[in-house]
mmCIF file of all heavy atoms in Angstrom:
data_model
loop_
_atom_site.group_PDB
_atom_site.id
_atom_site.type_symbol
_atom_site.label_atom_id
_atom_site.label_comp_id
_atom_site.label_asym_id
_atom_site.label_seq_id
_atom_site.Cartn_x
_atom_site.Cartn_y
_atom_site.Cartn_z
ATOM 1 N N ARG A 19 111.178 123.570 106.974
ATOM 2 C CA ARG A 19 111.582 123.676 105.579
ATOM 3 C C ARG A 19 112.506 122.509 105.087
ATOM 4 O O ARG A 19 113.494 122.136 105.740
ATOM 5 C CB ARG A 19 112.408 125.013 105.334
ATOM 6 C CG ARG A 19 111.630 126.286 105.664
ATOM 7 C CD ARG A 19 112.521 127.448 105.528
ATOM 8 N NE ARG A 19 111.831 128.661 105.906
ATOM 9 C CZ ARG A 19 111.192 129.464 105.034
ATOM 10 N NH1 ARG A 19 111.065 129.113 103.839
ATOM 11 N NH2 ARG A 19 110.589 130.550 105.464
ATOM 12 N N GLY A 20 111.973 121.853 104.051
ATOM 13 C CA GLY A 20 112.657 120.572 103.577
ATOM 14 C C GLY A 20 111.986 119.399 103.918
ATOM 15 O O GLY A 20 112.241 118.401 103.312
ATOM 16 N N ASN A 21 111.060 119.514 104.749
ATOM 17 C CA ASN A 21 110.136 118.336 105.122
ATOM 18 C C ASN A 21 109.056 118.150 104.083
ATOM 19 O O ASN A 21 108.553 117.010 104.025
ATOM 20 C CB ASN A 21 109.554 118.465 106.474
ATOM 21 C CG ASN A 21 110.236 117.869 107.562
ATOM 22 O OD1 ASN A 21 110.734 118.665 108.567
ATOM 23 N ND2 ASN A 21 110.530 116.597 107.625
ATOM 24 N N SER A 22 108.863 119.046 103.187
ATOM 25 C CA SER A 22 107.826 119.009 102.233
ATOM 26 C C SER A 22 108.022 117.752 101.368
ATOM 27 O O SER A 22 109.039 117.533 100.896
ATOM 28 C CB SER A 22 107.754 120.174 101.332
ATOM 29 O OG SER A 22 107.266 121.354 101.989
ATOM 30 N N GLY A 23 106.881 117.023 101.272
ATOM 31 C CA GLY A 23 106.962 115.790 100.437
ATOM 32 C C GLY A 23 107.412 114.539 101.158
ATOM 33 O O GLY A 23 107.191 113.461 100.695
ATOM 34 N N GLY A 24 107.755 114.717 102.436
ATOM 35 C CA GLY A 24 108.039 113.476 103.218
ATOM 36 C C GLY A 24 106.910 112.849 103.770
ATOM 37 O O GLY A 24 105.809 113.385 103.902
ATOM 38 N N PRO A 25 106.993 111.636 104.351
ATOM 39 C CA PRO A 25 105.944 110.918 104.881
ATOM 40 C C PRO A 25 105.576 111.159 106.381
ATOM 41 O O PRO A 25 106.553 111.479 107.165
ATOM 42 C CB PRO A 25 106.287 109.403 104.632
ATOM 43 C CG PRO A 25 107.813 109.500 104.828
ATOM 44 C CD PRO A 25 108.260 110.758 104.313
ATOM 45 N N THR A 26 104.444 110.967 106.776
ATOM 46 C CA THR A 26 103.979 110.904 108.092
ATOM 47 C C THR A 26 103.550 109.427 108.391
ATOM 48 O O THR A 26 102.696 108.941 107.642
ATOM 49 C CB THR A 26 102.847 111.832 108.451
ATOM 50 O OG1 THR A 26 103.272 113.132 108.273
ATOM 51 C CG2 THR A 26 102.392 111.593 109.877
ATOM 52 N N PHE A 27 104.097 108.762 109.347
ATOM 53 C CA PHE A 27 103.851 107.287 109.537
ATOM 54 C C PHE A 27 103.062 107.089 110.834
ATOM 55 O O PHE A 27 102.992 107.924 111.781
ATOM 56 C CB PHE A 27 105.121 106.530 109.760
ATOM 57 C CG PHE A 27 106.074 106.556 108.667
ATOM 58 C CD1 PHE A 27 107.201 107.270 108.490
ATOM 59 C CD2 PHE A 27 105.820 105.559 107.547
ATOM 60 C CE1 PHE A 27 108.063 107.260 107.493
ATOM 61 C CE2 PHE A 27 106.669 105.526 106.449
ATOM 62 C CZ PHE A 27 107.871 106.306 106.414
ATOM 63 N N ASP A 28 102.184 106.102 110.884
ATOM 64 C CA ASP A 28 101.529 105.605 111.989
ATOM 65 C C ASP A 28 102.539 104.734 112.754
ATOM 66 O O ASP A 28 103.641 104.437 112.148
ATOM 67 C CB ASP A 28 100.249 104.965 111.787
ATOM 68 C CG ASP A 28 100.316 103.639 111.008
ATOM 69 O OD1 ASP A 28 101.490 103.147 110.859
ATOM 70 O OD2 ASP A 28 99.354 103.222 110.520
ATOM 71 N N LEU A 29 102.148 104.076 113.961
ATOM 72 C CA LEU A 29 103.098 103.272 114.692
ATOM 73 C C LEU A 29 103.228 102.035 113.954
ATOM 74 O O LEU A 29 104.042 101.075 114.571
ATOM 75 C CB LEU A 29 102.417 103.131 116.067
ATOM 76 C CG LEU A 29 102.581 104.364 117.002
ATOM 77 C CD1 LEU A 29 102.240 104.040 118.366
ATOM 78 C CD2 LEU A 29 104.112 104.911 117.019
ATOM 79 N N TYR A 30 102.633 101.632 113.000
ATOM 80 C CA TYR A 30 102.862 100.364 112.204
ATOM 81 C C TYR A 30 103.769 100.628 111.080
ATOM 82 O O TYR A 30 103.969 99.674 110.327
ATOM 83 C CB TYR A 30 101.465 99.834 111.730
ATOM 84 C CG TYR A 30 100.615 99.488 112.949
ATOM 85 C CD1 TYR A 30 99.600 100.326 113.271
ATOM 86 C CD2 TYR A 30 100.797 98.267 113.627
ATOM 87 C CE1 TYR A 30 98.719 99.971 114.314
ATOM 88 C CE2 TYR A 30 99.871 97.982 114.648
ATOM 89 C CZ TYR A 30 98.891 98.786 115.041
ATOM 90 O OH TYR A 30 98.110 98.586 116.048
ATOM 91 N N GLY A 31 104.256 101.824 110.800
ATOM 92 C CA GLY A 31 105.138 102.121 109.713
ATOM 93 C C GLY A 31 104.442 102.340 108.414
ATOM 94 O O GLY A 31 105.076 102.302 107.261
ATOM 95 N N ARG A 32 103.061 102.598 108.438
ATOM 96 C CA ARG A 32 102.331 102.870 107.270
ATOM 97 C C ARG A 32 102.112 104.366 107.027
ATOM 98 O O ARG A 32 102.049 105.117 108.012
ATOM 99 C CB ARG A 32 101.047 102.122 107.324
ATOM 100 C CG ARG A 32 101.127 100.601 107.424
ATOM 101 C CD ARG A 32 99.787 99.981 107.746
ATOM 102 N NE ARG A 32 99.283 100.499 109.006
ATOM 103 C CZ ARG A 32 98.385 99.793 109.825
ATOM 104 N NH1 ARG A 32 97.941 98.568 109.278
ATOM 105 N NH2 ARG A 32 97.822 100.212 110.902
ATOM 106 N N VAL A 33 102.147 104.718 105.798
ATOM 107 C CA VAL A 33 101.979 106.301 105.528
ATOM 108 C C VAL A 33 100.602 106.756 105.647
ATOM 109 O O VAL A 33 99.744 106.199 104.989
ATOM 110 C CB VAL A 33 102.598 106.494 104.130
ATOM 111 C CG1 VAL A 33 102.452 107.999 103.770
ATOM 112 C CG2 VAL A 33 104.077 106.017 103.965
ATOM 113 N N ILE A 34 100.469 107.654 106.463
ATOM 114 C CA ILE A 34 99.086 108.202 106.725
ATOM 115 C C ILE A 34 98.894 109.608 106.104
ATOM 116 O O ILE A 34 97.827 110.136 106.127
ATOM 117 C CB ILE A 34 98.618 108.221 108.140
ATOM 118 C CG1 ILE A 34 99.569 109.198 108.945
ATOM 119 C CG2 ILE A 34 98.682 106.907 108.823
ATOM 120 C CD1 ILE A 34 99.036 109.580 110.336
ATOM 121 N N GLY A 35 100.060 110.149 105.619
ATOM 122 C CA GLY A 35 99.974 111.470 105.023
ATOM 123 C C GLY A 35 101.340 111.892 104.424
ATOM 124 O O GLY A 35 102.366 111.263 104.615
ATOM 125 N N VAL A 36 101.248 112.936 103.578
ATOM 126 C CA VAL A 36 102.329 113.495 102.895
ATOM 127 C C VAL A 36 102.509 114.883 103.472
ATOM 128 O O VAL A 36 101.651 115.813 103.168
ATOM 129 C CB VAL A 36 102.143 113.527 101.364
ATOM 130 C CG1 VAL A 36 103.428 114.195 100.678
ATOM 131 C CG2 VAL A 36 101.929 112.207 100.784
ATOM 132 N N ASN A 37 103.651 115.146 104.132
ATOM 133 C CA ASN A 37 103.781 116.460 104.812
ATOM 134 C C ASN A 37 104.021 117.673 103.676
ATOM 135 O O ASN A 37 104.652 117.482 102.718
ATOM 136 C CB ASN A 37 105.042 116.505 105.668
ATOM 137 C CG ASN A 37 104.993 115.452 106.682
ATOM 138 O OD1 ASN A 37 104.001 115.233 107.332
ATOM 139 N ND2 ASN A 37 106.133 114.760 106.970
ATOM 140 N N THR A 38 103.107 118.694 104.006
ATOM 141 C CA THR A 38 103.124 119.694 102.873
ATOM 142 C C THR A 38 103.052 121.197 103.324
ATOM 143 O O THR A 38 103.457 122.058 102.682
ATOM 144 C CB THR A 38 101.855 119.433 101.995
ATOM 145 O OG1 THR A 38 102.077 120.254 100.749
ATOM 146 C CG2 THR A 38 100.615 119.807 102.741
ATOM 147 N N ALA A 39 102.550 121.411 104.614
ATOM 148 C CA ALA A 39 102.503 122.858 104.947
ATOM 149 C C ALA A 39 102.519 122.916 106.541
ATOM 150 O O ALA A 39 102.404 122.067 107.279
ATOM 151 C CB ALA A 39 100.996 123.330 104.598
ATOM 152 N N ILE A 40 102.913 124.163 106.967
ATOM 153 C CA ILE A 40 103.030 124.506 108.374
ATOM 154 C C ILE A 40 102.364 125.934 108.657
ATOM 155 O O ILE A 40 102.230 126.787 107.746
ATOM 156 C CB ILE A 40 104.417 124.618 108.794
ATOM 157 C CG1 ILE A 40 105.295 125.574 108.182
ATOM 158 C CG2 ILE A 40 105.136 123.112 108.764
ATOM 159 C CD1 ILE A 40 106.703 125.750 108.611
ATOM 160 N N VAL A 41 101.915 126.042 109.820
ATOM 161 C CA VAL A 41 101.590 127.350 110.319
ATOM 162 C C VAL A 41 102.823 127.818 111.080
ATOM 163 O O VAL A 41 103.189 127.144 112.035
ATOM 164 C CB VAL A 41 100.297 127.298 111.214
ATOM 165 C CG1 VAL A 41 100.159 128.608 111.949
ATOM 166 C CG2 VAL A 41 99.121 127.013 110.328
ATOM 167 N N THR A 42 103.271 129.025 110.799
ATOM 168 C CA THR A 42 104.484 129.452 111.540
ATOM 169 C C THR A 42 104.622 130.977 111.588
ATOM 170 O O THR A 42 104.146 131.651 110.654
ATOM 171 C CB THR A 42 105.778 128.906 110.748
ATOM 172 O OG1 THR A 42 106.890 129.637 111.201
ATOM 173 C CG2 THR A 42 105.617 129.238 109.209
ATOM 174 N N PRO A 43 105.081 131.441 112.657
ATOM 175 C CA PRO A 43 105.410 132.956 112.743
ATOM 176 C C PRO A 43 106.757 133.327 112.249
ATOM 177 O O PRO A 43 106.963 134.481 111.998
ATOM 178 C CB PRO A 43 105.302 133.305 114.291
ATOM 179 C CG PRO A 43 105.737 131.947 114.864
ATOM 180 C CD PRO A 43 105.381 130.792 113.972
ATOM 181 N N SER A 44 107.613 132.288 112.003
ATOM 182 C CA SER A 44 108.959 132.677 111.684
ATOM 183 C C SER A 44 109.546 131.875 110.480
ATOM 184 O O SER A 44 110.671 132.129 110.083
ATOM 185 C CB SER A 44 109.914 132.377 112.899
ATOM 186 O OG SER A 44 109.839 130.981 113.203
ATOM 187 N N GLY A 45 108.884 130.908 110.086
ATOM 188 C CA GLY A 45 109.361 130.024 109.039
ATOM 189 C C GLY A 45 109.720 128.727 109.511
ATOM 190 O O GLY A 45 110.030 127.814 108.753
ATOM 191 N N ALA A 46 109.959 128.534 110.808
ATOM 192 C CA ALA A 46 110.362 127.329 111.522
ATOM 193 C C ALA A 46 109.090 126.671 112.230
ATOM 194 O O ALA A 46 108.027 127.325 112.253
ATOM 195 C CB ALA A 46 111.381 127.568 112.494
#
């Protein structure tokens, strides 16, 4: 929670995705 909208980087520091969802049994 709170990671929504943050970037996922590859090892070159380039954005490969925008974090938006999780599968979770507890919210974490």
